[in-house]
Amino acid sequence: AAATGSPPRPAWCCKIVVQAEMLHPDFPIVSKILGDSNANIEHLRSQHACQVALRGRGSGQQEADGQELQEPMFLWIASDNVQNGKAALEMSQDLLGSVYEEHQAWCTQHGLPNQMKSGPLVVENPEG
């Protein structure tokens, strides 16, 4: 039976805080995460049958109120299947690892310091 009102909370969800503010502001973080024509996000969605969105400050993703969510940029993953969600999380962490490596190379190429000292911050089943 279809639920009425607000959508039910998925069985599993996760926020991966990108830590974009530690990356150089000229580095194209959003396009690197999303991929050409959203290819990276679509691949995650189709491979693991889950919801994936880049949200938060600087993401370009507008919420229901027409504004970006005023918290640090993060990848949101939600799934009705815990295993699918965790597989998408693993793939997302690989993607972000590649993006951070690209950022390191980009900084070196441009003679800039790399402020990135750690990887993404993962919060499974966050409140709210």
Side-chain angles (χ1 to χ4, degrees):
T4 56
S6 63
R9 187 174 174 91
W12 183 90
C13 57
C14 173
K15 279 171 78 163
I16 308 172
V17 181
V18 175
Q19 311 223 44
E21 49 291 323
M22 294 177 128
L23 303 177
H24 194 278
D26 292 340
F27 182 75
I29 182 71
V30 173
S31 61
K32 294 291 186 187
I33 293 172
L34 297 179
D36 294 335
S37 303
N38 268 0
N40 294 342
I41 300 299
E42 292 304 326
H43 182 71
L44 281 164
R45 286 179 183 146
S46 62
Q47 284 289 108
H48 301 293
C50 59
Q51 299 168 28
V52 183
L54 186 64
R55 299 170 64 191
R57 281 193 302 274
S59 67
Q61 172 72 39
Q62 294 183 345
E63 302 295 323
D65 64 1
Q67 304 290 314
E68 288 180 344
L69 199 59
Q70 289 306 301
E71 57 182 272
M73 188 187 305
F74 64 95
L75 259 178
W76 173 254
I77 303 172
S79 177
D80 290 326
N81 178 300
V82 174
Q83 286 175 312
N84 286 3
K86 288 186 182 280
L89 168 59
E90 197 170 305
M91 189 179 274
S92 298
Q93 288 176 295
D94 288 347
L95 167 63
L96 288 174
S98 297
V99 170
Y100 294 157
E101 286 173 15
E102 278 190 67
H103 176 259
Q104 173 70 54
W106 183 89
C107 286
T108 301
Q109 178 185 347
H110 290 87
L112 299 166
N114 180 11
Q115 302 300 319
M116 195 70 198
K117 301 289 185 244
S118 62
L121 177 67
V122 176
V123 183
E124 288 191 50
N125 298 310
E127 294 299 316

